[in-house]
Amino acid sequence: MRVPKKERQRLLQETIERNPFIKDEELSKQFSVSIQTIRLDRMELKIPEVRERIKHVASEHLDEVKSLSMSEVIGDMIDLKLDDSAISVLDIEKEHVFSRNEIARGHVLFAQANSLAVALINDELALTTKAEIRFSRQVHLGERVVAKARVMKLRGDGRTDVTVESYVGEERVFEGDFTIYRRGEEEQA
Amino acid sequence: MRVPKKERQRLLQETIERNPFIKDEELSKQFSVSIQTIRLDRMELKIPEVRERIKHVASEHLDEVKSLSMSEVIGDMIDLKLDDSAISVLDIEKEHVFSRNEIARGHVLFAQANSLAVALINDELALTTKAEIRFSRQVHLGERVVAKARVMKLRGDGRTDVTVESYVGEERVFEGDFTIYRRGEEEQA
DNA sequence: ACTGCTATTAGTACCAGGTATTAAGTTCTT
DNA sequence: AAGAACTTAATACCTGGTACTAATAGCAGT
């Protein structure tokens, strides 16, 4: 029931990480020590009080919601010449990868490329109708993917061909040929 | 500066919705009324105190994180025969659509199809290497997309061809031919 | 067995951001 | 001018802490 200090602190850290909502009182019961001991432990481990922990979780949440609804593009657009070319950057984070092997999921790279291709079109309505894509190398957690889109052909009938190539450093990791429909309301993005 | 009660309460509700972290004191300054008035307003509007609001935001966040890491599939898998066929369902919600026209973004449908195709593979490591996709009709906010994946060919070299067709009711909205690599570590999903 | 050190517990004062309640103005309206 | 609706004030109390001081327990070394 009663474990040594080091062990207790390890478990404490884990416990709080798993459930940031837990109060000192509950923790003290769980580890069969006084509240004061728990507080000393938190001090040593630099773990803030419940309310601060909850606030932190909540603000992370808000950040996420914001960054999702703030832009219609996945990744940060760093250059845009309408109907010509565009570049966006995406840093691969935890939520983008398979937890098993820390390799980015295919649809993340696709999403970056697709949203870039759509943003490139100088028209109110732009929807992807077709795409042909190749993943040439895995992308790992922590890597930075730079996607470069270029308009290849502006067809008369409202279709535009866009090619996107994504790189990590010098290496190409993704390639896609997109056909984007503009204006009309009959196709799908 | 000083607005009538009804108006103030409307603004109060909005303000708190936009920023759940705001305290009564700040609110009272913003509306140039006393703290007590703010508290009466909250009572009438059944808006809980700051800490409860923050807690609520935080717990929503935790739910999300859980449901994200719980399944590696976008959408709900409702049928799965490994190396044969699988079906998943995805309800199109606000976060899936362009705010301008409420049409689902292409990469949402792609993500559903791609993750379904990958999940279908009976192997530890499965990564998409190639895909050819067609969006045959727009999908709107509120619609339910049913994706059906079927293994077409199990090649000897570790490659598997999977076809995914997605429907809203009877109508096909998406079609994709995926090549999935299994086992090896040289390709990308 | 006594010293010395760490670890633990106890106790008190204080804080933020409230709730709950009672009472006293203030305004508007009729 | 009277009554109702609205606003402010004042006070006691709550939770989940911080900060600090002080007492006690447990054990190692000599």
Side-chain angles (χ1 to χ4, degrees):
Chain A
M1 185 107 294
R2 198 70 169 273
V3 289
K5 188 178 172 179
K6 273 212 168 175
E7 179 69 1
R8 186 189 58 226
Q9 294 198 339
R10 234 204 55 242
L11 291 171
L12 189 75
Q13 192 132 35
E14 258 184 53
T15 305
I16 291 178
E17 210 151 315
R18 275 209 319 278
N19 176 17
F21 294 71
I22 197 166
K23 291 167 208 162
D24 287 358
E25 203 187 328
E26 241 191 283
L27 287 165
S28 84
K29 277 176 194 159
Q30 242 183 66
F31 293 101
S32 305
V33 292
S34 69
I35 278 199
Q36 284 80 351
T37 302
I38 296 294
R39 290 185 174 157
L40 283 174
D41 285 349
R42 274 202 298 102
M43 287 263 231
E44 287 177 24
L45 299 171
K46 315 244 181 193
I47 298 172
E49 58 167 296
V50 168
R51 297 151 182 151
E52 291 307 310
R53 296 194 305 257
I54 293 178
K55 214 182 285 182
H56 185 250
V57 172
S59 55
E60 266 184 351
H61 181 49
L62 279 203
D63 286 354
E64 239 174 73
V65 169
K66 254 181 231 159
S67 66
L68 253 167
S69 60
M70 233 160 56
S71 78
E72 304 239 313
V73 175
I74 280 86
D76 295 320
M77 184 110 64
I78 57 172
D79 188 42
L80 175 64
K81 294 192 198 85
L82 282 171
D83 284 334
D84 181 63
S85 62
I87 297 178
S88 85
V89 173
L90 176 67
D91 289 314
I92 299 302
E93 286 165 10
K94 270 184 316 207
E95 62 268 29
H96 302 131
V97 303
F98 290 107
S99 47
R100 213 169 30 224
N101 49 29
E102 303 199 330
I103 294 176
R105 297 165 196 219
H107 52 257
V108 170
L109 296 193
F110 178 84
Q112 181 189 16
N114 181 57
S115 57
L116 187 64
V118 167
L120 184 52
I121 304 300
N122 184 17
D123 227 310
E124 252 182 88
L125 183 64
L127 300 169
T128 311
T129 64
K130 228 180 66 182
E132 232 169 279
I133 59 186
R134 293 158 300 278
F135 296 95
S136 29
R137 133 145 146 41
Q138 307 135 295
V139 176
H140 297 271
L141 183 62
E143 291 187 317
R144 164 166 295 188
V145 181
V146 178
K148 301 177 184 178
R150 190 186 316 277
V151 169
M152 301 308 274
K153 199 189 290 181
L154 277 150
R155 292 196 193 141
D157 62 351
R159 285 183 162 71
T160 303
D161 290 344
V162 178
T163 294
V164 181
E165 293 189 317
S166 300
Y167 295 85
V168 171
E170 301 287 293
E171 284 186 278
R172 188 170 62 212
V173 296
F174 171 93
E175 218 181 329
D177 296 311
F178 295 81
T179 301
I180 313 285
Y181 201 89
R182 55 213 295 164
R183 191 91 264 177
E185 245 117 40
E186 48 269 77
E187 308 284 313
Q188 168 67 33
Chain B
M1 187 109 287
R2 198 71 168 274
V3 290
K5 188 178 172 180
K6 273 212 167 176
E7 178 68 2
R8 186 190 58 226
Q9 294 198 340
R10 237 203 54 241
L11 291 172
L12 188 76
Q13 194 132 33
E14 256 184 54
T15 305
I16 291 177
E17 212 152 311
R18 274 209 319 277
N19 176 18
F21 294 72
I22 197 166
K23 292 165 206 161
D24 287 357
E25 204 186 326
E26 242 191 279
L27 287 166
S28 83
K29 278 176 195 158
Q30 244 182 65
F31 292 101
S32 306
V33 292
S34 69
I35 277 200
Q36 284 81 352
T37 301
I38 295 294
R39 288 180 178 161
L40 282 174
D41 285 349
R42 276 203 295 101
M43 287 264 226
E44 288 177 24
L45 299 170
K46 314 244 181 194
I47 298 173
E49 58 167 295
V50 170
R51 295 149 182 153
E52 289 308 310
R53 295 193 307 256
I54 293 179
K55 213 182 285 181
H56 185 251
V57 172
S59 56
E60 266 184 349
H61 180 51
L62 279 204
D63 287 353
E64 239 175 71
V65 169
K66 252 180 232 159
S67 66
L68 249 169
S69 59
M70 231 160 56
S71 77
E72 304 241 310
V73 175
I74 281 88
D76 294 321
M77 184 109 66
I78 57 172
D79 187 45
L80 174 66
K81 294 190 198 88
L82 283 170
D83 284 333
D84 182 62
S85 63
I87 295 177
S88 84
V89 172
L90 176 67
D91 290 314
I92 300 301
E93 286 164 12
K94 271 185 316 209
E95 61 268 32
H96 302 131
V97 303
F98 289 107
S99 46
R100 213 169 28 222
N101 49 29
E102 303 200 331
I103 295 175
R105 297 165 196 221
H107 53 257
V108 170
L109 295 193
F110 178 84
Q112 181 189 17
N114 181 58
S115 57
L116 187 65
V118 168
L120 184 52
I121 304 300
N122 184 17
D123 226 312
E124 253 181 272
L125 182 64
L127 301 170
T128 311
T129 64
K130 226 179 67 180
E132 230 168 279
I133 59 186
R134 292 157 300 278
F135 296 95
S136 29
R137 136 148 144 42
Q138 306 135 299
V139 176
H140 297 269
L141 182 63
E143 291 187 315
R144 164 166 297 187
V145 181
V146 178
K148 300 177 184 178
R150 189 187 318 278
V151 169
M152 301 308 274
K153 199 190 288 180
L154 278 150
R155 297 201 190 133
D157 62 350
R159 284 183 163 69
T160 303
D161 289 343
V162 178
T163 293
V164 181
E165 293 187 317
S166 301
Y167 296 84
V168 170
E170 301 287 295
E171 285 185 275
R172 188 168 65 211
V173 296
F174 171 94
E175 217 181 331
D177 296 313
F178 295 82
T179 302
I180 313 284
Y181 200 90
R182 55 214 294 164
R183 189 91 266 172
E185 247 118 37
E186 48 270 77
E187 308 285 313
Q188 167 68 31

PDB file of all heavy atoms in Angstrom, chain B residues 23-24 39 42 50-51, chain C residues 16-21:
ATOM      1  N   LYS B  23     -13.800  36.102 -16.307  1.00  0.00           N
ATOM      2  CA  LYS B  23     -14.312  36.109 -14.934  1.00  0.00           C
ATOM      3  C   LYS B  23     -15.390  37.176 -14.764  1.00  0.00           C
ATOM      4  O   LYS B  23     -15.445  38.134 -15.524  1.00  0.00           O
ATOM      5  CB  LYS B  23     -13.173  36.397 -13.954  1.00  0.00           C
ATOM      6  CG  LYS B  23     -12.158  35.277 -13.873  1.00  0.00           C
ATOM      7  CD  LYS B  23     -10.893  35.756 -13.192  1.00  0.00           C
ATOM      8  CE  LYS B  23      -9.690  34.949 -13.633  1.00  0.00           C
ATOM      9  NZ  LYS B  23      -8.423  35.650 -13.345  1.00  0.00           N
ATOM     10  N   ASP B  24     -16.182  37.010 -13.698  1.00  0.00           N
ATOM     11  CA  ASP B  24     -17.265  37.950 -13.430  1.00  0.00           C
ATOM     12  C   ASP B  24     -16.752  39.381 -13.336  1.00  0.00           C
ATOM     13  O   ASP B  24     -17.398  40.316 -13.807  1.00  0.00           O
ATOM     14  CB  ASP B  24     -17.973  37.576 -12.126  1.00  0.00           C
ATOM     15  CG  ASP B  24     -18.819  36.327 -12.299  1.00  0.00           C
ATOM     16  OD1 ASP B  24     -18.888  35.804 -13.416  1.00  0.00           O
ATOM     17  OD2 ASP B  24     -19.413  35.875 -11.301  1.00  0.00           O
ATOM     18  N   ARG B  39     -23.762  38.353 -11.736  1.00  0.00           N
ATOM     19  CA  ARG B  39     -24.089  37.050 -11.146  1.00  0.00           C
ATOM     20  C   ARG B  39     -25.577  36.744 -11.255  1.00  0.00           C
ATOM     21  O   ARG B  39     -25.975  35.597 -11.523  1.00  0.00           O
ATOM     22  CB  ARG B  39     -23.606  37.007  -9.696  1.00  0.00           C
ATOM     23  CG  ARG B  39     -22.092  36.926  -9.690  1.00  0.00           C
ATOM     24  CD  ARG B  39     -21.425  36.870  -8.353  1.00  0.00           C
ATOM     25  NE  ARG B  39     -19.980  36.755  -8.616  1.00  0.00           N
ATOM     26  CZ  ARG B  39     -19.031  37.024  -7.743  1.00  0.00           C
ATOM     27  NH1 ARG B  39     -19.345  37.427  -6.525  1.00  0.00           N
ATOM     28  NH2 ARG B  39     -17.768  36.885  -8.075  1.00  0.00           N
ATOM     29  N   ARG B  42     -26.089  35.657 -14.817  1.00  0.00           N
ATOM     30  CA  ARG B  42     -25.665  34.274 -15.037  1.00  0.00           C
ATOM     31  C   ARG B  42     -26.672  33.290 -14.484  1.00  0.00           C
ATOM     32  O   ARG B  42     -26.986  32.266 -15.105  1.00  0.00           O
ATOM     33  CB  ARG B  42     -24.295  34.033 -14.415  1.00  0.00           C
ATOM     34  CG  ARG B  42     -23.139  34.444 -15.323  1.00  0.00           C
ATOM     35  CD  ARG B  42     -21.850  33.724 -14.975  1.00  0.00           C
ATOM     36  NE  ARG B  42     -21.337  34.054 -13.668  1.00  0.00           N
ATOM     37  CZ  ARG B  42     -21.461  33.307 -12.599  1.00  0.00           C
ATOM     38  NH1 ARG B  42     -22.100  32.157 -12.671  1.00  0.00           N
ATOM     39  NH2 ARG B  42     -20.947  33.705 -11.441  1.00  0.00           N
ATOM     40  N   VAL B  50     -16.978  30.442 -13.847  1.00  0.00           N
ATOM     41  CA  VAL B  50     -15.779  30.251 -14.674  1.00  0.00           C
ATOM     42  C   VAL B  50     -15.192  28.858 -14.568  1.00  0.00           C
ATOM     43  O   VAL B  50     -14.948  28.202 -15.578  1.00  0.00           O
ATOM     44  CB  VAL B  50     -14.659  31.219 -14.255  1.00  0.00           C
ATOM     45  CG1 VAL B  50     -13.359  30.854 -14.950  1.00  0.00           C
ATOM     46  CG2 VAL B  50     -15.014  32.620 -14.610  1.00  0.00           C
ATOM     47  N   ARG B  51     -14.954  28.401 -13.337  1.00  0.00           N
ATOM     48  CA  ARG B  51     -14.228  27.130 -13.180  1.00  0.00           C
ATOM     49  C   ARG B  51     -15.007  25.990 -13.809  1.00  0.00           C
ATOM     50  O   ARG B  51     -14.437  25.101 -14.438  1.00  0.00           O
ATOM     51  CB  ARG B  51     -14.015  26.826 -11.704  1.00  0.00           C
ATOM     52  CG  ARG B  51     -13.137  27.804 -10.982  1.00  0.00           C
ATOM     53  CD  ARG B  51     -13.627  27.853  -9.564  1.00  0.00           C
ATOM     54  NE  ARG B  51     -12.936  28.784  -8.721  1.00  0.00           N
ATOM     55  CZ  ARG B  51     -13.525  29.330  -7.668  1.00  0.00           C
ATOM     56  NH1 ARG B  51     -14.791  29.059  -7.387  1.00  0.00           N
ATOM     57  NH2 ARG B  51     -12.856  30.172  -6.910  1.00  0.00           N
TER      58      ARG B  51
ATOM     59  P    DA C  16      -6.489  37.271  -4.261  1.00  0.00           P
ATOM     60  OP1  DA C  16      -5.639  38.224  -4.993  1.00  0.00           O
ATOM     61  OP2  DA C  16      -7.564  37.765  -3.369  1.00  0.00           O
ATOM     62  O5'  DA C  16      -7.156  36.301  -5.321  1.00  0.00           O
ATOM     63  C5'  DA C  16      -6.365  35.310  -5.954  1.00  0.00           C
ATOM     64  C4'  DA C  16      -7.264  34.358  -6.712  1.00  0.00           C
ATOM     65  O4'  DA C  16      -7.864  33.423  -5.795  1.00  0.00           O
ATOM     66  C3'  DA C  16      -8.409  35.039  -7.458  1.00  0.00           C
ATOM     67  O3'  DA C  16      -8.522  34.379  -8.705  1.00  0.00           O
ATOM     68  C2'  DA C  16      -9.622  34.820  -6.547  1.00  0.00           C
ATOM     69  C1'  DA C  16      -9.278  33.500  -5.862  1.00  0.00           C
ATOM     70  N9   DA C  16      -9.734  33.354  -4.473  1.00  0.00           N
ATOM     71  C8   DA C  16      -9.686  34.281  -3.479  1.00  0.00           C
ATOM     72  N7   DA C  16     -10.128  33.851  -2.321  1.00  0.00           N
ATOM     73  C5   DA C  16     -10.489  32.533  -2.583  1.00  0.00           C
ATOM     74  C6   DA C  16     -11.033  31.521  -1.771  1.00  0.00           C
ATOM     75  N6   DA C  16     -11.311  31.676  -0.469  1.00  0.00           N
ATOM     76  N1   DA C  16     -11.270  30.331  -2.337  1.00  0.00           N
ATOM     77  C2   DA C  16     -10.981  30.154  -3.626  1.00  0.00           C
ATOM     78  N3   DA C  16     -10.469  31.030  -4.494  1.00  0.00           N
ATOM     79  C4   DA C  16     -10.245  32.211  -3.900  1.00  0.00           C
ATOM     80  P    DG C  17      -9.436  35.022  -9.845  1.00  0.00           P
ATOM     81  OP1  DG C  17      -8.933  34.509 -11.130  1.00  0.00           O
ATOM     82  OP2  DG C  17      -9.536  36.476  -9.586  1.00  0.00           O
ATOM     83  O5'  DG C  17     -10.851  34.364  -9.566  1.00  0.00           O
ATOM     84  C5'  DG C  17     -11.035  32.983  -9.858  1.00  0.00           C
ATOM     85  C4'  DG C  17     -12.393  32.586  -9.373  1.00  0.00           C
ATOM     86  O4'  DG C  17     -12.381  32.544  -7.923  1.00  0.00           O
ATOM     87  C3'  DG C  17     -13.510  33.593  -9.736  1.00  0.00           C
ATOM     88  O3'  DG C  17     -14.647  32.904 -10.235  1.00  0.00           O
ATOM     89  C2'  DG C  17     -13.800  34.271  -8.421  1.00  0.00           C
ATOM     90  C1'  DG C  17     -13.564  33.115  -7.475  1.00  0.00           C
ATOM     91  N9   DG C  17     -13.479  33.459  -6.059  1.00  0.00           N
ATOM     92  C8   DG C  17     -13.096  34.647  -5.504  1.00  0.00           C
ATOM     93  N7   DG C  17     -13.172  34.655  -4.190  1.00  0.00           N
ATOM     94  C5   DG C  17     -13.631  33.391  -3.862  1.00  0.00           C
ATOM     95  C6   DG C  17     -13.919  32.807  -2.602  1.00  0.00           C
ATOM     96  O6   DG C  17     -13.806  33.313  -1.485  1.00  0.00           O
ATOM     97  N1   DG C  17     -14.362  31.504  -2.718  1.00  0.00           N
ATOM     98  C2   DG C  17     -14.518  30.832  -3.926  1.00  0.00           C
ATOM     99  N2   DG C  17     -14.954  29.577  -3.856  1.00  0.00           N
ATOM    100  N3   DG C  17     -14.255  31.360  -5.119  1.00  0.00           N
ATOM    101  C4   DG C  17     -13.819  32.637  -5.010  1.00  0.00           C
ATOM    102  P    DG C  18     -15.761  33.684 -11.060  1.00  0.00           P
ATOM    103  OP1  DG C  18     -16.544  32.669 -11.769  1.00  0.00           O
ATOM    104  OP2  DG C  18     -15.111  34.769 -11.770  1.00  0.00           O
ATOM    105  O5'  DG C  18     -16.649  34.364  -9.913  1.00  0.00           O
ATOM    106  C5'  DG C  18     -17.887  33.852  -9.505  1.00  0.00           C
ATOM    107  C4'  DG C  18     -17.773  32.574  -8.705  1.00  0.00           C
ATOM    108  O4'  DG C  18     -16.728  32.710  -7.726  1.00  0.00           O
ATOM    109  C3'  DG C  18     -19.039  32.272  -7.919  1.00  0.00           C
ATOM    110  O3'  DG C  18     -19.919  31.490  -8.716  1.00  0.00           O
ATOM    111  C2'  DG C  18     -18.505  31.487  -6.721  1.00  0.00           C
ATOM    112  C1'  DG C  18     -17.118  32.076  -6.523  1.00  0.00           C
ATOM    113  N9   DG C  18     -16.994  33.065  -5.438  1.00  0.00           N
ATOM    114  C8   DG C  18     -16.483  34.334  -5.555  1.00  0.00           C
ATOM    115  N7   DG C  18     -16.448  34.981  -4.419  1.00  0.00           N
ATOM    116  C5   DG C  18     -16.966  34.086  -3.495  1.00  0.00           C
ATOM    117  C6   DG C  18     -17.178  34.213  -2.093  1.00  0.00           C
ATOM    118  O6   DG C  18     -16.928  35.186  -1.371  1.00  0.00           O
ATOM    119  N1   DG C  18     -17.733  33.071  -1.531  1.00  0.00           N
ATOM    120  C2   DG C  18     -18.055  31.932  -2.251  1.00  0.00           C
ATOM    121  N2   DG C  18     -18.582  30.925  -1.550  1.00  0.00           N
ATOM    122  N3   DG C  18     -17.857  31.794  -3.547  1.00  0.00           N
ATOM    123  C4   DG C  18     -17.312  32.900  -4.104  1.00  0.00           C
ATOM    124  P    DT C  19     -21.440  31.715  -8.627  1.00  0.00           P
ATOM    125  OP1  DT C  19     -22.059  30.933  -9.710  1.00  0.00           O
ATOM    126  OP2  DT C  19     -21.661  33.162  -8.508  1.00  0.00           O
ATOM    127  O5'  DT C  19     -21.844  31.051  -7.228  1.00  0.00           O
ATOM    128  C5'  DT C  19     -21.752  29.643  -7.069  1.00  0.00           C
ATOM    129  C4'  DT C  19     -22.311  29.270  -5.706  1.00  0.00           C
ATOM    130  O4'  DT C  19     -21.577  30.005  -4.703  1.00  0.00           O
ATOM    131  C3'  DT C  19     -23.787  29.643  -5.527  1.00  0.00           C
ATOM    132  O3'  DT C  19     -24.465  28.575  -4.869  1.00  0.00           O
ATOM    133  C2'  DT C  19     -23.745  30.903  -4.680  1.00  0.00           C
ATOM    134  C1'  DT C  19     -22.470  30.702  -3.877  1.00  0.00           C
ATOM    135  N1   DT C  19     -21.823  31.977  -3.496  1.00  0.00           N
ATOM    136  C2   DT C  19     -21.799  32.344  -2.186  1.00  0.00           C
ATOM    137  O2   DT C  19     -22.290  31.674  -1.297  1.00  0.00           O
ATOM    138  N3   DT C  19     -21.171  33.535  -1.931  1.00  0.00           N
ATOM    139  C4   DT C  19     -20.574  34.379  -2.834  1.00  0.00           C
ATOM    140  O4   DT C  19     -20.037  35.422  -2.475  1.00  0.00           O
ATOM    141  C5   DT C  19     -20.639  33.940  -4.206  1.00  0.00           C
ATOM    142  C7   DT C  19     -20.017  34.772  -5.282  1.00  0.00           C
ATOM    143  C6   DT C  19     -21.250  32.778  -4.473  1.00  0.00           C
ATOM    144  P    DA C  20     -26.074  28.537  -4.901  1.00  0.00           P
ATOM    145  OP1  DA C  20     -26.441  27.129  -5.190  1.00  0.00           O
ATOM    146  OP2  DA C  20     -26.574  29.629  -5.771  1.00  0.00           O
ATOM    147  O5'  DA C  20     -26.546  28.880  -3.432  1.00  0.00           O
ATOM    148  C5'  DA C  20     -25.649  28.981  -2.354  1.00  0.00           C
ATOM    149  C4'  DA C  20     -26.315  29.777  -1.242  1.00  0.00           C
ATOM    150  O4'  DA C  20     -25.508  30.969  -0.969  1.00  0.00           O
ATOM    151  C3'  DA C  20     -27.727  30.291  -1.540  1.00  0.00           C
ATOM    152  O3'  DA C  20     -28.517  30.081  -0.388  1.00  0.00           O
ATOM    153  C2'  DA C  20     -27.515  31.777  -1.866  1.00  0.00           C
ATOM    154  C1'  DA C  20     -26.320  32.126  -0.985  1.00  0.00           C
ATOM    155  N9   DA C  20     -25.477  33.221  -1.475  1.00  0.00           N
ATOM    156  C8   DA C  20     -25.101  33.475  -2.765  1.00  0.00           C
ATOM    157  N7   DA C  20     -24.335  34.538  -2.902  1.00  0.00           N
ATOM    158  C5   DA C  20     -24.194  35.015  -1.605  1.00  0.00           C
ATOM    159  C6   DA C  20     -23.491  36.118  -1.065  1.00  0.00           C
ATOM    160  N6   DA C  20     -22.782  36.957  -1.802  1.00  0.00           N
ATOM    161  N1   DA C  20     -23.563  36.308   0.266  1.00  0.00           N
ATOM    162  C2   DA C  20     -24.278  35.456   0.998  1.00  0.00           C
ATOM    163  N3   DA C  20     -24.975  34.385   0.612  1.00  0.00           N
ATOM    164  C4   DA C  20     -24.896  34.219  -0.717  1.00  0.00           C
ATOM    165  P    DT C  21     -30.052  30.364  -0.275  1.00  0.00           P
ATOM    166  OP1  DT C  21     -30.628  29.342   0.612  1.00  0.00           O
ATOM    167  OP2  DT C  21     -30.603  30.600  -1.627  1.00  0.00           O
ATOM    168  O5'  DT C  21     -30.049  31.743   0.524  1.00  0.00           O
ATOM    169  C5'  DT C  21     -29.277  31.820   1.718  1.00  0.00           C
ATOM    170  C4'  DT C  21     -29.338  33.206   2.278  1.00  0.00           C
ATOM    171  O4'  DT C  21     -28.333  34.031   1.607  1.00  0.00           O
ATOM    172  C3'  DT C  21     -30.673  33.921   2.088  1.00  0.00           C
ATOM    173  O3'  DT C  21     -31.149  34.367   3.338  1.00  0.00           O
ATOM    174  C2'  DT C  21     -30.360  35.058   1.133  1.00  0.00           C
ATOM    175  C1'  DT C  21     -28.876  35.313   1.426  1.00  0.00           C
ATOM    176  N1   DT C  21     -28.132  35.984   0.333  1.00  0.00           N
ATOM    177  C2   DT C  21     -27.263  37.004   0.660  1.00  0.00           C
ATOM    178  O2   DT C  21     -27.074  37.374   1.796  1.00  0.00           O
ATOM    179  N3   DT C  21     -26.623  37.573  -0.415  1.00  0.00           N
ATOM    180  C4   DT C  21     -26.775  37.228  -1.732  1.00  0.00           C
ATOM    181  O4   DT C  21     -26.144  37.817  -2.605  1.00  0.00           O
ATOM    182  C5   DT C  21     -27.693  36.153  -2.013  1.00  0.00           C
ATOM    183  C7   DT C  21     -27.924  35.718  -3.422  1.00  0.00           C
ATOM    184  C6   DT C  21     -28.329  35.585  -0.975  1.00  0.00           C
TER     185       DT C  21
END
